[in-house]
Amino acid sequence: PGRRRIAANRPFALCLLPNNAYIVKQTIVPRLRLSYTIITIICLLNLCPLFAQPVQYPFSHLDISNDLSHNQVTSIIKDAKGFMWFGTASGLNRYDGYTFKVFHHRENDSTSLNDDFLVKIQEGPHNKFWIDTRNGQCLFDPVSEKAMSSTTAWCRQLSLPAAFVTDIVKDKQGCYWFAQPGYGATRYNPETHTVKQFKRQPDITDMTADNAGNIWIIYADGLLEGYNTATEKKMLSNDG
């Protein structure tokens, strides 16, 4: 007698008190549910701008107005020191994030580039650049800022075949893989100054490294080979 009945169709909360007494309050659960609902809506509204806003990347537009030597850029690399190098139709450009420094072919100067029209730039051992130009291939030292017209002489110093270099790939072990016509691939270790040849015909048409550090080589006849650079073992070939 004197106790209030609890409606069967309404949620309630039971609070136990000492001496086995209890209090029943029907308004607690609805209020909690309402609070949770409001908090959830606020959180979702705050997250909406995060999903709505696209990722913004900073871009810099560089051309001859910024002292780039030519607007036709044929090759781009980033060297081990962080400089950006641009091969163009009129010279080699080094960019430090603020200004360009341009290197040109100079008549009667054997330490300059062999031509101003650059086709391809690759970084090899000891930070030397192997540069393909309209007039052949030359070597460029970014430290001394001088070029060497005979790449075959440098190949001999590295114990590589004295031949034209078509591709250079650096693996995770810090070794360099050279692709040369008629000689397949050669791996050069700059620490031990040793080489290992992976000779096969016909010539290599492309060579690259994947994220796992493996080297992949494709040949003119369509053969694809994969090498584990840690073991120097062939791990895959599509020749059956």
Side-chain angles (χ1 to χ4, degrees):
R3 293 180 180 177
R4 184 179 176 184
R5 292 190 62 187
I6 301 172
N9 62 344
R10 294 185 63 187
F12 63 92
L14 182 66
C15 179
L16 294 178
L17 299 175
N19 302 323
N20 294 325
Y22 61 88
I23 296 174
V24 175
K25 191 169 183 64
Q26 289 180 288
T27 58
I28 292 177
V29 173
R31 286 177 180 173
L32 286 175
R33 286 180 176 173
L34 179 61
S35 299
Y36 290 150
T37 302
I38 293 172
I39 292 171
T40 302
I41 292 172
I42 292 172
C43 290
L44 290 174
L45 289 174
N46 287 332
L47 287 174
C48 283
L50 297 179
F51 293 108
Q53 294 178 357
V55 179
Q56 298 292 325
Y57 295 99
F59 283 93
S60 296
H61 297 275
L62 304 172
D63 55 25
I64 56 174
S65 65
N66 305 106
D67 296 327
L68 182 70
S69 63
H70 200 284
N71 282 339
Q72 183 180 343
V73 176
T74 57
S75 184
I76 303 173
I77 68 164
K78 182 180 180 180
D79 69 15
K81 294 184 177 180
F83 290 108
M84 297 297 299
W85 294 81
F86 300 87
T88 72
S90 181
L92 175 66
N93 295 249
R94 186 189 69 193
Y95 185 63
D96 61 5
Y98 300 96
T99 59
F100 283 102
K101 184 171 184 178
V102 183
F103 303 90
H104 286 289
H105 167 69
R106 296 186 299 271
E107 291 292 339
N108 302 318
D109 186 352
S110 60
T111 65
S112 69
L113 299 172
N114 62 3
D115 194 88
D116 272 345
F117 196 107
L118 276 64
V119 178
K120 187 177 184 179
I121 311 171
Q122 300 179 94
E123 188 173 14
H126 315 298
N127 305 120
K128 299 290 193 297
F129 293 167
W130 300 71
I131 300 178
D132 295 354
T133 73
R134 184 173 48 187
N135 197 29
Q137 193 169 66
C138 66
L139 208 68
F140 183 81
D141 185 348
V143 177
S144 65
E145 299 181 351
K146 294 181 179 180
M148 182 170 63
S149 58
S150 178
T151 56
T152 55
W154 184 246
C155 284
R156 292 190 187 97
Q157 290 188 41
L158 301 180
S159 300
L160 298 171
F164 189 88
V165 174
T166 56
D167 275 301
I168 304 174
V169 176
K170 187 178 182 181
D171 65 25
K172 277 194 170 182
Q173 280 66 43
C175 298
Y176 292 84
W177 293 65
F178 288 81
Q180 295 174 281
Y183 295 94
T186 305
R187 189 190 195 205
Y188 172 77
N189 188 325
E191 291 188 2
T192 61
H193 303 288
T194 55
V195 297
K196 182 175 181 178
Q197 273 198 297
F198 301 83
K199 195 171 182 179
R200 185 191 178 277
Q201 293 292 340
D203 293 334
I204 295 172
T205 57
D206 202 4
M207 185 168 61
T208 190
D210 63 19
N211 291 333
N214 304 309
I215 294 291
W216 296 89
I217 302 173
I218 189 166
Y219 296 86
D221 61 356
L223 176 68
L224 174 67
E225 291 182 338
Y227 287 89
N228 183 316
T229 57
T231 63
E232 295 186 338
K233 300 293 185 183
K234 187 190 300 183
M235 62 180 188
L236 183 141
S237 177
N238 65 351
D239 63 353

